[in-house]
Amino acid sequence: MLPKVFSDKHWKVRHQVIFYLVILFVIATLNGVYTNYINSLSFSWYNYWWIISRTFVLGGIPIAFITLLDYQRKVKLNTNKASNILLSNKKEFLKDSEETRHQILTDLKNETISFNENDFNYAIAVGNYIDMYVLVENTLKKVTYRITLSSFEKQLDKTSSLIRCHRSYLVNLKKVESITGNAQGLKLELKNQSEIVPVSRKYIPIVKQSFLKNP
């Protein structure tokens, strides 16, 4: 119901705590209604808040415990994945190689995206558009095109270092400087820029395999 809030990129402890508290509130409310119905009691705000308060007192401890365990599990899991990628790829990350030029057809008639692979850093999906970040005269600039990220990806050469790493991100692995992991997933830090590119669980094996293919 709330994919943006509970995505790997946006996951936070407070999101999970609020989510559990909402569930607890619903449980307490249904419990109060059921209790009144079974005992043929008329509605009373005093009884209602009594049930709410007791449910929250009893549920607060397991919520805190479960959230803490989940946080530690996510941190450990993603840190290990980042470490495994680094250890399995005992070298500096991919260097710029020969110039590879891409020609991508957009959804607009007679419009083509033409760029050198080494100038491409990453692209972000924005509905039916993409924001593409490329180097222009050694300056990183954003260019917007009418094309979906999936369509853009399909037109790339299979040997390209440009890979999908998230539902909304496509990155140039040659620009990756380091890989880190936290509770929200894997993060790719790119050379000479502040943008942190997320890697969702679905694409972690693809990212790892892409590094392994380039010893």
Side-chain angles (χ1 to χ4, degrees):
M1 293 176 64
L2 301 170
K4 292 184 178 179
V5 174
F6 292 98
S7 69
D8 292 339
K9 180 182 178 182
H10 298 103
W11 186 93
K12 288 182 173 59
V13 169
R14 67 171 179 270
H15 292 161
Q16 183 155 318
V17 170
I18 292 173
F19 177 67
Y20 283 142
L21 290 178
V22 169
I23 292 177
L24 204 60
F25 181 79
V26 172
I27 290 173
T29 299
L30 294 177
N31 187 36
V33 171
Y34 177 76
T35 300
N36 285 348
Y37 175 77
I38 290 297
N39 295 290
S40 300
L41 300 175
S42 59
F43 177 80
S44 166
W45 281 109
Y46 176 81
N47 290 337
Y48 176 69
W49 289 116
W50 186 90
I51 291 174
I52 292 290
S53 62
R54 294 302 185 277
T55 305
F56 270 71
V57 169
L58 293 173
I61 294 176
I63 282 178
F65 183 70
I66 291 172
T67 301
L68 179 60
L69 285 181
D70 197 29
Y71 174 79
Q72 292 178 334
R73 180 186 63 81
K74 287 178 181 290
V75 170
K76 183 177 180 180
L77 177 65
N78 292 322
T79 300
N80 287 340
K81 287 179 179 178
S83 299
N84 288 338
I85 292 175
L86 292 173
L87 289 173
S88 62
N89 190 51
K90 296 178 180 179
K91 67 176 185 65
E92 291 185 34
F93 290 109
L94 300 177
K95 301 288 188 179
D96 288 348
S97 56
E98 297 180 1
E99 285 290 319
T100 301
R101 193 153 190 87
H102 294 277
Q103 302 286 337
I104 306 293
L105 296 175
T106 72
D107 293 340
L108 297 180
K109 187 176 181 180
N110 299 325
E111 183 185 54
T112 302
I113 307 173
S114 180
F115 63 93
N116 289 328
E117 186 167 298
N118 289 339
D119 292 332
F120 181 98
N121 282 45
Y122 63 98
I124 304 177
V126 185
N128 291 325
Y129 293 80
I130 64 167
D131 288 337
M132 194 170 86
Y133 291 81
V134 293
L135 289 175
V136 179
E137 297 180 353
N138 295 320
T139 301
L140 189 66
K141 293 189 176 182
K142 181 180 78 171
V143 188
T144 301
Y145 294 101
R146 184 175 175 81
I147 182 174
T148 64
L149 197 60
S150 295
S151 178
F152 184 93
E153 180 187 19
K154 288 177 182 178
Q155 296 183 58
L156 293 172
D157 190 288
K158 291 184 179 180
T159 61
S160 172
S161 64
L162 312 186
I163 67 163
R164 190 80 167 265
C165 60
H166 188 275
R167 181 179 61 180
S168 302
Y169 284 82
L170 189 144
V171 68
N172 186 351
L173 291 182
K174 294 178 182 178
K175 303 298 181 180
V176 176
E177 190 168 55
S178 65
I179 304 174
T180 57
N182 59 19
Q184 294 174 303
L186 295 188
K187 309 292 181 182
L188 303 180
E189 297 181 9
L190 308 184
K191 297 176 183 177
N192 302 318
Q193 55 188 280
S194 58
E195 178 72 19
I196 302 297
V197 176
V199 181
S200 61
R201 286 191 292 268
K202 174 182 176 181
Y203 292 98
I204 287 176
I206 297 174
V207 171
K208 182 176 181 180
Q209 187 60 32
S210 296
F211 279 113
L212 289 174
K213 288 193 301 185
N214 294 271

